[in-house]
Structure formats: C-alpha cells, structure tokens
Amino acid sequence: MMISNNNVVQRYNPEQIAKPVGNYSHVTKINRNAEWYVFSGQIGIDQSNQIPTDFNEQVTNTMSNIVKILASQNLTPDQVVKINIWATETIDWNHFYEIWERIFGTTPPSMTIAYVKGLGLPELKIELDVWAAG
C-alpha cells in the first residue's frame, strides 16, 4: 500500500511482507529531483542549553528540536525520510509514540532503533539522526 505525504516523499508498507512492528514505514521513496537534507543527531538539550536527567524529557526536547531544525530549512515532518534512533535506556514507547504520532501522524518515516552503551556526552540518553527531502 502506498501513502503519499507530498510531491517529494512517498511511503510504502508492501502487502507481501509483515506489517511494521512499530509506528514506521517499511519503504520511503524520494522523487528524483528532490534536495536531500542530512541533519546532525538531535539531542534532548533545551533552549537554556540544559540536558535534563529524565529520559522522557530528553525525548520531548529531542522531538521539539527536530521540528525546529526542519522549520529552519522550510521543511515539515512530512518531508522526513528516515530517522535513526540511538538510546542508552529502554524507550518508554507510550511516551515516545505519543509525541511521534503528534509530529508524524499516520504516515511516519522509516526508522531504525539501536540501544547503545553511550552517546557523545555522558548525560545523553537518546539521539535521533534525521534525513529529509524537499
């Protein structure tokens, strides 16, 4: 089944394979003449340059930072192609998906998740790597 978010990004969940085990799309297709945007990993730092100790606060801040960095390039969440997620703690999926669905709606981007021992700073608990096309 194809879901088209805009004239640049299209998402697919082919019927020939199992449905996604989470809220993501198996396939994201970018039209030929699109511009690619690759963003540095987004973290849970707030506007005061503070990194909260609470994992869910870091998730909330990270998602907010993603929306802001997209907007800085005149992009919307519909134009996100792929997000790679690195976390040092088990993700609270109820909290994560509440924000994820608010941002990405019913046609979320492709996603990869990995649990790691550490990130770039010792206080970081989650980092999201975002690719977009516009």
Side-chain angles (χ1 to χ4, degrees), residues 14-126:
E15 294 176 10
Q16 301 85 344
I17 63 173
K19 291 181 181 180
V21 297
N23 191 356
Y24 60 89
S25 298
H26 278 305
V27 178
T28 302
K29 179 182 175 187
I30 295 71
N31 288 339
R32 195 174 308 246
N33 295 321
E35 289 186 88
W36 276 94
Y37 296 81
V38 178
F39 300 97
S40 295
Q42 295 301 298
I43 60 173
I45 196 164
D46 65 19
Q47 290 289 72
S48 304
N49 292 320
Q50 301 299 310
I51 300 171
T53 58
D54 181 73
F55 185 87
N56 283 344
E57 285 183 59
Q58 285 195 29
V59 168
T60 300
N61 289 349
T62 300
M63 294 292 205
S64 175
N65 291 339
I66 288 170
V67 171
K68 290 174 186 172
I69 201 163
L70 289 168
S72 78
Q73 300 303 303
N74 297 314
L75 297 170
T76 67
D78 280 348
Q79 292 168 289
V80 172
V81 173
K82 171 91 188 262
I83 293 187
N84 296 312
I85 302 166
W86 292 283
T88 62
E89 295 181 8
T90 302
I91 295 171
D92 173 353
W93 288 107
N94 290 329
H95 179 76
F96 187 92
Y97 277 147
E98 177 184 324
I99 298 168
W100 180 265
E101 289 169 8
R102 194 175 333 131
I103 293 171
F104 296 109
T106 59
T107 55
S110 297
M111 171 201 298
T112 298
I113 304 157
Y115 289 101
V116 296
K117 288 185 178 186
L119 293 164
L121 298 171
E123 59 269 36
L124 293 178
K125 298 178 181 189
I126 192 163

